[in-house]
């Protein structure tokens, strides 16, 4: 008799799931969220689903021959206050069967107001809702088990899933020593009911995250913004995300297949290329692309030090870095056709362009937005060191054209300045940097914000100012470029940067500094897994069904 035995391993894992119903009538679910005890005014009601296994979720390993089967039973509880829809799906699938049709499952269902004692083999009260369906072999849309179901408040949906090694009365030796493992979860992250990432962060804030803070006047008084953005702050907040991954399969996302980026926060009133204004999540690459100039120019233009106009204006195509980030970095090699990016005065172009670009999936995840890059008004130049962070925030988004160029040795470019640019990729703002500080034992966050980042290195005038620059995650230990350009008509090449020890200051555009790209996520993007730590970054997905592979 032929040896038909093989190892079948079924791994069942339990997750606690949160659903939130909002005024927009859509909800989301994500792993490892434990509750919603502090819902904000955008939330009308909330409901909690839990997934419980009647055998404690233990692994089951057995030798099976064709005709063998194994049952796993679990329940979904709605302990909340709203009716909620959900899906059952398999994750972490390993299915090495040669003939995939040999491994099938049945799914049985019953609905009760309370739990009941389950006796294996007794299906009294159950209804079979799936019969002899082929077990999924890959994570994706095809990994959903059964159809979407709704569950009322105070109800319990109980399921028995029966995996079967189907006997077809033929030689099935090709499936000897094959393996199947999977984990059962509820709610398929690909479903359209998931709440966008922009609101997920708000939920995190209202569930007591200690490293998120609003920057509005209600929180920071006279130093608050009118937009009341939600920001991560402190020395090392849990704001890591995997982005620009080599695969959009969540099962293979990791440090070796993805870049780490960090969430700056949720920003209100961000306008896209079509004029639509909405809250949007801003993220920044955690590692610099390399050291490059903001802009360079011929020696006859601004002494070769570059032009501090970010985007295109008239016949001027825009700063070198703007063009590099929005062409080459997006895979459309335009500036670096010779493999080089600009890195010095007089149009020096000797630095190798980055090996990394944003792939197609990453580009689908980001929005083309109206990047504001106004400048401080001319009258502020003499008091620049006293400029508070809210001043920077206001002027960055203003319409001041005070950085226009007057005729001099250092300013003869004749380029008309603009205060905004439609683009996919930009830079961090000075205000982002300032609002990122938590302060310390002597100077708290409000005090740091009131002084402004240009004063953070002035130890002679402000005692304990190190509390400000030592407690922000946006000090990168290298100089790097930020918005806005500088407002001085006598020298139209300068822009702001952040120093390696936390000093914010002016830099000539042709200087060579680090580049940390910044993008806004499209609101179709969802966060479906992770807790934001460096060891377990959030995983992102586009909120639309993926084709089965």
């Amino acid at each position: 008799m032929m040896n038909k035995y093989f190892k079948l391993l079924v791994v069942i894992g339990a997750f606690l799931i949160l659903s939130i119903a909002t005024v927009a009538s859509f909800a989301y679910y994500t792993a490892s969220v434990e509750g919603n005890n502090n819902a904000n005014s955008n939330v009308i009601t909330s409901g909690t689903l839990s997934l419980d296994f009647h055998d404690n979720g233990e692994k089951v390993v057995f030798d099976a021959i064709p005709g063998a089967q194994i049952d796993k039973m679990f329940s979904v509880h709605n302990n909340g206050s709203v009716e909620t829809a959900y899906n059952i799906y398999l994750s972490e699938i390993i299915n090495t069967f040669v003939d995939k049709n040999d491994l099938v499952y049945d799914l049985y269902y019953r609905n009760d107001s309370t739990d009941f004692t389950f006796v294996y083999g007794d299906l009294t009260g159950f209804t079979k809702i799936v019969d002899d369906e082929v077990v999924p072999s890959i994570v994706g849309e095809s990994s959903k088990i059964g159809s979407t179901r709704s569950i009322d408040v105070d109800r319990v949906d109980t399921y028995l899933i029966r995996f079967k090694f189907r006997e077809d009365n033929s030689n099935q030796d090709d499936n000897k020593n094959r393996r199947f493992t999977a984990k059962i979860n509820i709610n398929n992250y690909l479903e359209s009911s998931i709440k966008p990432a922009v609101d997920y962060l708000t939920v995190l804030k209202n569930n007591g995250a200690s490293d998120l803070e609003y920057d509005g006047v209600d929180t920071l008084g006279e130093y608050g913004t009118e937009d009341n953005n939600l920001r991560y702050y402190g020395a090392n907040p849990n704001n890591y995300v995997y982005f620009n991954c080599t695969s959009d399969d969540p099962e293979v996302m990791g440090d070796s297949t993805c870049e780490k980026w960090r969430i700056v926060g949720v920003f209100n009133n961000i306008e896209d290329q079509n004029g639509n204004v909405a809250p949007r999540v801003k993220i920044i690459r955690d590692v610099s692309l390399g050291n490059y100039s903001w802009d360079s120019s011929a020696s006859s233009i601004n002494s070769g030090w570059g032009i501090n106009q970010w985007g295109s204006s008239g016949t001027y195509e825009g700063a070198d870095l703007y063009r590099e980030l929005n062409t080459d970095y997006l895979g459309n090699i335009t500036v670096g056709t010779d493999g080089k990016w600009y890195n010095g005065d007089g149009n020096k172009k000797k630095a190798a362009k980055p090996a990394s670009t944003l792939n197609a999936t990453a580009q689908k995840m980001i929005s083309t937005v109206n990047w504001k890059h106004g400048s401080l008004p001319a009258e502020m130049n003499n008091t620049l060191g006293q400029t508070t962070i809210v001043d920077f925030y206001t002027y960055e988004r203003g319409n001041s054209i005070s950085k226009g160029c007057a005729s001099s040795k250092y300013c003869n470019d004749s380029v008309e300045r603009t205060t905004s640019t439609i683009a996919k990729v930009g830079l961090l703002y000075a205000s982002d940097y300032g609002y990122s500080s938590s302060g310390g034992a002597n100077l708290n966050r409000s005090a740091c914000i009131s002084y402004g980042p240009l004063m953070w290195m002035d130890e002679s005038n402000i005692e304990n100012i190190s509390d400000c620059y030592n407690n922000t995650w946006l000090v990168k230990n290298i100089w790097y470029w930020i918005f806005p350009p500088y407002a001085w008509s006598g020298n139209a090449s300068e822009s702001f940067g952040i120093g390696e020890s936390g000093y914010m200051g002016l830099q000539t555009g042709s200087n060579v500094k680090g580049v940390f790209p910044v993008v806004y996520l499209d609101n179709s993007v969802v966060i479906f897994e992770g807790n934001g730590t460096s060891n377990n970054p959030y995983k992102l997905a586009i909120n639309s069904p993926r084709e089965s592979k």
Side-chain angles (χ1 to χ4, degrees), residues 230-446:
L230 183 62
R231 299 174 182 270
Y232 278 99
Y233 69 99
N236 190 29
N238 294 326
N239 60 345
Y240 289 88
V241 295
Y242 282 135
F243 189 64
N244 202 29
C245 300
T246 57
S247 171
D248 60 356
D249 184 342
E251 303 304 321
V252 300
M253 288 182 182
D255 289 358
S256 62
T257 57
C258 301
E259 296 174 356
K260 284 182 181 176
W261 288 52
R262 301 186 77 169
I263 303 169
V264 181
V266 183
F267 292 80
N268 294 312
N269 303 315
I270 303 300
E271 181 183 15
D272 69 10
Q273 61 183 332
N274 299 315
N276 300 314
V277 176
R280 303 183 195 278
V281 173
K282 186 191 315 186
I283 64 175
I284 182 172
R285 197 175 193 265
D286 192 41
V287 176
S288 173
L289 283 178
N291 296 319
Y292 305 101
S293 300
W294 163 289
D295 187 60
S296 187
S297 58
S299 58
S300 59
I301 303 297
N302 298 346
S303 294
W305 292 351
I307 301 171
N308 66 355
Q309 159 63 21
W310 181 248
S312 62
S313 175
T315 59
Y316 180 63
E317 294 182 305
D320 295 331
L321 188 55
Y322 154 75
R323 294 185 298 122
E324 290 160 347
L325 289 176
N326 286 280
T327 57
D328 293 12
Y329 187 49
L330 300 179
N332 177 23
I333 308 301
T334 302
V335 179
T337 53
D338 57 354
K340 306 291 184 182
W341 277 13
Y342 289 91
N343 69 324
D345 63 278
N347 279 335
K348 289 186 176 66
K349 192 182 180 189
K350 297 181 179 179
K353 66 181 179 65
S356 173
T357 60
L358 288 184
N359 60 36
T361 299
Q363 291 188 46
K364 289 178 182 178
M365 288 185 170
I366 62 179
S367 293
T368 301
V369 303
N370 188 11
W371 293 86
K372 301 296 184 69
H373 45 78
S375 63
L376 303 179
E379 60 268 21
M380 295 295 294
N381 289 333
N382 294 330
T383 58
L384 193 58
Q386 301 171 27
T387 305
T388 67
I389 294 173
V390 72
D391 289 335
F392 270 104
Y393 185 86
T394 301
Y395 295 129
E396 287 162 1
R397 286 151 183 78
N399 296 313
S400 171
I401 310 292
S402 59
K403 59 178 177 290
C405 189
S407 178
S408 75
K409 175 182 178 181
Y410 306 107
C411 187
N412 61 354
D413 59 62
S414 74
V415 173
E416 182 179 356
R417 270 42 177 194
T418 64
T419 57
S420 63
T421 300
I422 302 294
K424 282 186 175 293
V425 186
L427 301 174
L428 194 76
Y429 287 90
S431 59
D432 291 334
Y433 176 62
Y435 281 116
S436 70
S437 176
S438 64
N442 298 293
L443 292 180
N444 63 20
R445 184 167 184 254
S446 294

